[in-house]
Amino acid sequence: MAIFFKCLRAHKYLLIKILALLFTVYYIIHIMTFGKYIKSSIEALSQYSKGYSVRKVAAAIGVQPSYLSKVERDLVAPPSEAKIIALANELEEDPDMLLAMAGRVSSDLKEVIMKRPQLFASVIRELKTQPDHALLSLVREVKDGDW
């Protein structure tokens, strides 16, 4: 058990990122699809700025407007990791959240998980049944360094 906590301490940043992502994704996945979320984000931002139209967002991330429109309507699969990250930046959203909504994990997280698959699988499996307040408490402890 001591080695488990030692490894967690060594990967504090990753654990915080994973836990925050789990909270956000759980909430959003049960409410809307990737495409519907993108559409609602563009619509919400377009109310405050004319720079947020499907055409302008598509141009900013380097895709055709027709493709982005199909993504919004869930007619095609979400774009690549790089395009999702660009879309997140353009919409001022969390890239990890959008990647998770698209059924993906960022390549940097995959890399870390692949180095210690059993450890991270164990951590995530243990955390999946914990109530939100327990996870939030763990995140605070990791951030504060109170081990």
Side-chain angles (χ1 to χ4, degrees), residues 6-21:
K6 189 175 185 179
C7 289
L8 284 179
R9 265 187 238 121
H11 296 286
K12 189 183 339 183
Y13 168 75
L14 178 64
L15 182 60
I16 291 168
K17 198 169 178 179
I18 288 171
L19 291 175
L21 180 61

Side-chain angles (χ1 to χ4, degrees), residues 10 26 28 34 46 62 70 84 89-90 117 133-134:
Y26 177 81
I28 291 173
F34 179 83
S46 70
K70 288 177 185 176
I84 291 173
N89 292 333
E90 185 65 25
H133 70 275

